[in-house]
Amino acid sequence: MQGGPPGSPAVVRGAAGNQNSAGNLLWLVRTGRARTRSELQSYTGLSRSTLVARIDALLAAGYLRRSGVEESTGGRPAELLEFDTDHGVVLVADLGANHARAAVLDAGGALLHEEHEHIKIGSGPSFVLDWVDAAFGRLLAASGQARERVRGIGVGVPGPVEYDAGVVTEPPIMPGWDGVPIADRLRSTWGCPVFVDNDANLMALGEQVAFYPDCPALLLVKVATGIGAGIVVEGRVYRGIDGGAGDIGHIRLAGFPDARCECGLYGCLSAVASGLALAQRLTSSGTPTQSGPELVERIRVGHGEAVHLAREAGRLVGEVLATVVCLVNPGVLVIAGDLAETHFVTGVREMLYTYALPRATRHLEVATSRLGPQSAVTGAHAMVVDEIYSPSAVDAELAATPVSDLSRSR
């Protein structure tokens, strides 16, 4: 592919596919690589007549819209094209161990409406997914959006996911969810594409999309009820063979033979350094603490033992991350979740820079999440949009549906 216009992103999610297709033209505009017909022509080499016909089809179908003209430097100013964010809406559900968040966003990622509920994932798939269905209905009504405008649904869960199947596999903190076809269940209700992924993966993608679009390798570590990591390489989530990549919470540590993990083994990082593990240890030392968020509140008010536990947990996580950083060599390490606070992060930094090779950390930026709870929502939206507006998906829809019908569906 030829070089893009000045300022075009160095890392772009997805694949360009057939450079001559209408779907690829949309991809070039949507990812910021081209804004005008001449720029599109320079990328694709299409004849002017073919290019105009395909752009007109995208305009008529509501994928593209005109957005003014370039500042003239002499001669006729070029017409600007942009992705039409009003093409439809995306529904998102972020399901955590003790919370559920649902949101509706436009195609460009603008948040239209959201709601949050304290729901335990252990309540089971029927209860939780019924809430998701009801929340989606309320959100569409509150934002004035018709059900027919839903282009896709994204769901994040705190467990390993077989991405292509939309199925959770052997999740340690999701009793009753193993093998549940989440994507099929929601697809049968809503009649649109549904994509499911691990919440740490979506948080990593959300941070990368929002703040580090040019970073070729980003690692996010979520420390909450459990511990997990998401890896984004060249703008795409790395999931491994069957969705197990990034499951660092079950790396076993020496010296903790009695720390039983939710997975059934002993000495896992999650069993020693997660928010739930620290809350249990604080309770055992005489300060009843029910959860990670309650532990964090004690840290914030300066509870001595809570602060000490957070610092030590950070050191343990940092020691594991020293190995991970040497393996992945990321440009950015984002620490997220309930425990992403000063004392914990200080412990991470202390051990990370002590044990990792200097060449693995010399260009490494260590930061806490800038999106916070919204990172999984942002990542889930990006996941859905990359799928439903991929060149192949757009070409298939254009081929299967008359342009006039697509225009009326907006």
Side-chain angles (χ1 to χ4, degrees):
M1 177 176 290
Q2 299 178 33
S8 59
V11 175
V12 184
R13 302 179 311 282
N18 178 5
Q19 291 190 4
N20 292 325
S21 74
N24 186 68
L25 297 182
L26 176 67
W27 181 82
L28 290 168
V29 174
R30 185 173 66 80
T31 58
R33 291 194 167 192
R35 300 180 303 156
T36 66
R37 286 173 169 81
S38 62
E39 289 175 352
L40 287 169
Q41 193 168 22
S42 72
Y43 271 109
T44 63
L46 288 169
S47 68
R48 186 178 184 280
S49 60
T50 301
L51 181 72
V52 168
R54 291 177 181 173
I55 289 175
D56 285 347
L58 291 168
L59 288 166
Y63 287 111
L64 288 180
R65 64 187 173 197
R66 299 177 176 88
S67 60
V69 296
E70 275 190 318
E71 183 177 345
S72 177
T73 57
R76 184 177 180 180
E79 181 180 65
L80 295 173
L81 300 168
E82 67 180 11
F83 175 51
D84 193 342
T85 58
D86 193 41
H87 187 256
V89 297
V90 172
L91 296 173
V92 168
D94 168 28
L95 307 177
N98 298 298
H99 78 271
R101 177 178 284 101
V104 56
L105 305 92
D106 72 14
L111 181 65
L112 303 180
H113 222 278
E114 70 174 342
E115 65 175 78
H116 179 270
E117 189 68 48
H118 292 288
I119 295 177
K120 292 184 178 297
I121 198 75
S123 300
S126 294
F127 179 83
V128 174
L129 294 178
D130 282 349
W131 179 87
V132 170
D133 282 333
F136 283 167
R138 291 190 295 269
L139 290 169
L140 289 175
S143 58
Q145 298 291 328
R147 184 186 181 103
E148 294 73 22
R149 290 194 23 90
V150 178
R151 301 294 177 183
I153 293 173
V155 181
V157 295
V161 175
E162 289 189 15
Y163 182 76
D164 291 339
V167 174
V168 180
T169 56
E170 302 179 16
I173 64 171
M174 297 175 66
W177 288 81
D178 184 30
V180 173
I182 300 173
D184 287 347
R185 157 72 167 74
L186 293 173
R187 191 182 299 115
S188 67
T189 301
W190 291 91
C192 66
V194 180
F195 307 95
V196 185
D197 204 353
N198 172 262
D199 57 357
N201 286 345
L202 296 181
M203 293 171 73
L205 184 59
E207 295 286 336
Q208 194 264 348
V209 167
F211 300 110
Y212 308 100
D214 296 332
C215 179
L218 177 143
L219 170 68
L220 178 139
V221 177
K222 177 190 177 186
V223 186
T225 300
I227 299 176
I231 305 168
V232 180
V233 178
E234 298 297 345
R236 298 181 65 84
V237 173
Y238 176 74
R239 300 182 176 90
I241 294 299
D242 58 7
D247 202 1
I248 66 170
H250 300 287
I251 292 176
R252 299 175 72 181
L253 307 178
F256 299 93
D258 299 324
R260 190 175 189 277
C261 183
E262 297 282 346
C263 72
L265 299 177
Y266 291 83
C268 292
L269 182 63
S270 284
V272 178
S274 68
L276 179 60
L278 299 190
Q280 292 171 344
R281 289 170 63 184
L282 193 59
T283 297
S284 298
S285 68
T287 304
T289 307
Q290 299 300 315
S291 65
E294 189 174 343
L295 169 78
V296 172
E297 286 303 314
R298 299 197 187 286
I299 295 171
R300 286 174 179 163
V301 299
H303 187 286
E305 181 64 15
V307 169
H308 171 73
L309 288 173
R311 179 69 173 266
E312 288 305 304
R315 288 168 57 88
L316 290 170
V317 172
E319 189 171 347
V320 170
L321 287 178
T323 299
V324 176
V325 163
C326 287
L327 179 66
V328 177
N329 192 205
V332 178
L333 167 62
V334 179
I335 302 173
D338 296 335
L339 277 180
E341 55 77 49
T342 301
H343 302 286
F344 179 87
V345 174
T346 298
V348 170
R349 287 177 176 273
E350 180 181 346
M351 301 306 284
L352 174 63
Y353 287 105
T354 298
Y355 283 96
L357 289 171
R359 73 171 310 278
T361 58
R362 64 184 174 184
H363 298 303
L364 177 67
E365 176 183 349
V366 179
T368 54
S369 170
R370 295 166 68 179
L371 286 173
Q374 290 300 123
S375 58
V377 171
T378 301
H381 174 272
M383 169 180 68
V384 173
V385 167
D386 280 347
E387 294 281 2
I388 64 176
Y389 292 110
S390 68
S392 59
V394 171
D395 290 336
E397 184 170 352
L398 288 174
T401 309
V403 170
S404 57
D405 289 349
L406 283 169
S407 299
R408 286 196 295 270
S409 71
R410 293 180 60 202

